[in-house]
Amino acid sequence: MQTTLKVDLGDRSYPIHIGAGLLERAELIVPHLAQKRVAVVTNTTVAPLYLERLTATLTAAGVAVHPIVLPDGEAYKNWETLNRIFDALLTWRAERKTTLIALGGGVIGDMTGFAAACYQRGVPFIQIPTTLLSQVDSSVGGKTGINHPLGKNMIGAFYQPKAVLADTDTLKTLPPRELSAGLAEVIKYGFIWDEAFLVWLEAHMEKLRALDAEAVTHAIYRSCEIKAQVVAQDEREGGLRAILNLGHTFGHAIETGMGYGNWLHGEAVGAGMVLAAQTSQRLGWIAEADVARARALIRAAGLPDAAPDMALEAWFDYMGHDKKVESGQLRFVLLKKLGEAVITGDVPKDVLTGVLAAR
Ligand code: NAD
Ligand code: GLY
């Protein structure tokens, strides 16, 4: 089973292919290559699983493949590792028409995309995301970048891929905790955009966690479709695109407060979405029953539905580093109702304090 949808960005439009066995489908990749040479950027975890399969597919289609295998982990999403990509590209004499292929999760995708945006002022790149989170979120929409010691994803570029291939077979080797982290972003799309999708998720969460092929393909398709719609309207996050950050202001504070890697990004977003729902309830926008429903779905996905214990000053300090901060003012993505998000800077401090204290 394979489905395809399009991200509509004029002459920078591109297809997202979703389905099983896509690593074997050279015809989904080769038409996008300006030259039959590619550098495949991956990491030490994903390479032993999928690099050989992808290389065999491309080699059989007459494409020369140069692998670049990086260390695994968010801690390596930095200048030093980025420079290793440039070292390898220059040593191999990669040219302006050489395509970079990202084979891995969001860390590899974000770094490879940024390397492609910078190398020789821009070379083509293709995303082959291998985690659920990267298949439904990070590989789509063109946000690329690395972390700075003073802030996550603070250095980067908007740079769209030529194509995205989400091979659902790769999810079979994904640790269950990583699968749940990806489900947080899937649930996010329901909360911000589509109540009917939320209802569908409530009914299919068990199947999704068991990797039922039809359910997983639908969840990825609908998630990418919603993200593509938002990105097509606001590629560079002048406004609307910020709704994709539901739960992320609270979530980033949790990630920072708990130390990177202790809470996965998706886990922090899960707990963050509960806090966003509770804030929306205190503002009178959604009912207590909606918050209970949100919590139940987040729990059903195997995610924490409550934030960890942190001092109030720490919450506000960490939330103050959010990229949505404007003129020093915190801005939040909240819910007008389930299925409709709003971005607001107008949340009284006592409301936030109440939510965070009652956690
Ligand atoms: P990740 O890339 O660290 O992958 C998680 C772990 O799973 C890693 O150890 C990875 O090596 C391993 N892995 C990957 N594929 C596997 C597979 N098929 N089988 C077994 N193990 C596999 O994390 P992630 O959750 O994919 O992505 C998180 C990153 O994405 C963060 O850096 C975040 O900032 C970024 N992100 C970017 C955007 C965007 O729009 N660009 C959106 C959301 C998140
Ligand atoms: N992950 C949020 C965005 O792509 O805008």
Side-chain angles (χ1 to χ4, degrees):
M1 191 194 337
Q2 184 221 313
T3 54
T4 299
L5 67 105
K6 187 173 147 198
V7 183
D8 225 330
L9 291 167
D11 59 0
R12 287 171 299 108
S13 299
Y14 52 93
I16 304 171
H17 304 291
I18 302 155
L22 302 195
L23 287 179
E24 274 93 45
R25 302 275 301 278
E27 76 279 13
L28 299 180
I29 299 174
V30 174
H32 299 288
L33 304 181
Q35 177 189 64
K36 283 200 162 182
R37 283 178 95 208
V38 301
V40 177
V41 184
T42 185
N43 70 23
T44 49
T45 304
V46 178
L49 296 168
Y50 302 112
L51 180 58
E52 206 178 297
R53 204 181 303 174
L54 179 63
T55 305
T57 301
L58 290 168
T59 310
V63 179
V65 177
H66 184 69
I68 302 175
V69 182
L70 304 174
D72 183 10
E74 184 75 37
Y76 294 99
K77 190 176 159 183
N78 58 21
W79 272 118
E80 287 70 34
T81 316
L82 186 72
N83 218 21
R84 280 177 62 170
I85 304 178
F86 297 139
D87 289 346
L89 292 174
L90 285 161
T91 308
W92 185 53
R93 296 181 190 276
E95 298 171 359
R96 215 177 229 152
K97 288 188 171 174
T98 305
T99 294
L100 304 197
I101 297 184
L103 175 70
V107 169
I108 285 295
D110 280 13
M111 263 197 304
T112 307
F114 190 37
C118 300
Y119 185 69
Q120 298 204 12
R121 300 196 182 86
V123 296
F125 92 111
I126 290 174
Q127 290 268 21
I128 306 189
T130 61
T131 62
L132 181 62
L133 183 138
S134 55
Q135 294 183 351
V136 298
D137 192 351
S138 63
S139 66
V140 174
K143 278 190 183 175
T144 72
I146 55 169
N147 300 328
H148 184 278
L150 295 180
K152 194 167 141 61
N153 292 330
M154 282 293 173
I155 316 294
F158 286 96
Y159 195 66
Q160 302 292 343
K162 295 289 177 203
V164 179
L165 273 70
D167 185 337
T168 50
D169 279 343
T170 61
L171 301 179
K172 290 177 186 160
T173 53
L174 198 63
R177 207 178 148 197
E178 297 286 354
L179 187 75
S180 291
L183 286 170
E185 305 286 1
V186 175
I187 293 170
K188 171 189 83 180
Y189 294 113
F191 284 146
I192 61 169
W193 200 260
D194 182 359
E195 208 209 336
F197 186 44
L198 269 187
V199 173
W200 184 90
L201 286 170
E202 286 168 335
H204 292 82
M205 193 48 80
E206 245 177 77
K207 283 192 167 179
L208 288 172
R209 292 185 72 186
L211 289 182
D212 173 87
E214 204 174 315
V216 168
T217 304
H218 176 72
I220 298 172
Y221 187 92
R222 186 62 189 135
S223 298
C224 289
E225 196 173 39
I226 293 170
K227 181 155 187 182
Q229 255 177 290
V230 172
V231 169
Q233 287 178 55
D234 180 23
E235 183 183 2
R236 297 176 75 88
E237 202 163 308
L240 177 73
R241 184 167 177 163
I243 66 170
L244 298 173
N245 285 319
L246 176 72
H248 286 58
T249 306
F250 295 114
H252 284 153
I254 296 172
E255 280 181 278
T256 314
M258 294 295 106
Y260 285 119
N262 291 319
W263 277 56
L264 297 180
H265 175 72
E267 292 171 338
V269 167
M273 288 193 293
V274 172
L275 292 171
Q278 289 169 330
T279 308
S280 309
Q281 186 210 342
R282 279 187 189 241
L283 291 171
W285 296 343
I286 64 172
E288 206 174 320
D290 293 327
V291 177
R293 205 174 141 196
R295 286 188 98 136
L297 185 57
I298 285 162
R299 260 197 319 273
L303 294 160
D305 71 338
D309 224 359
M310 283 200 306
L312 274 178
E313 309 79 69
W315 277 106
F316 283 100
D317 180 24
Y318 298 140
M319 290 194 301
H321 286 99
D322 191 73
K323 282 198 284 305
K324 287 188 295 307
V325 169
E326 241 177 48
S327 309
Q329 189 190 28
L330 283 174
R331 289 160 71 240
F332 290 88
V333 183
L334 300 177
L335 297 173
K336 268 282 175 199
K337 58 180 190 161
L338 294 189
E340 187 185 327
V342 280
I343 305 154
T344 177
D346 207 11
V347 185
K349 191 157 181 184
D350 62 314
V351 169
L352 286 170
T353 310
V355 168
L356 293 169
R359 218 183 49 257

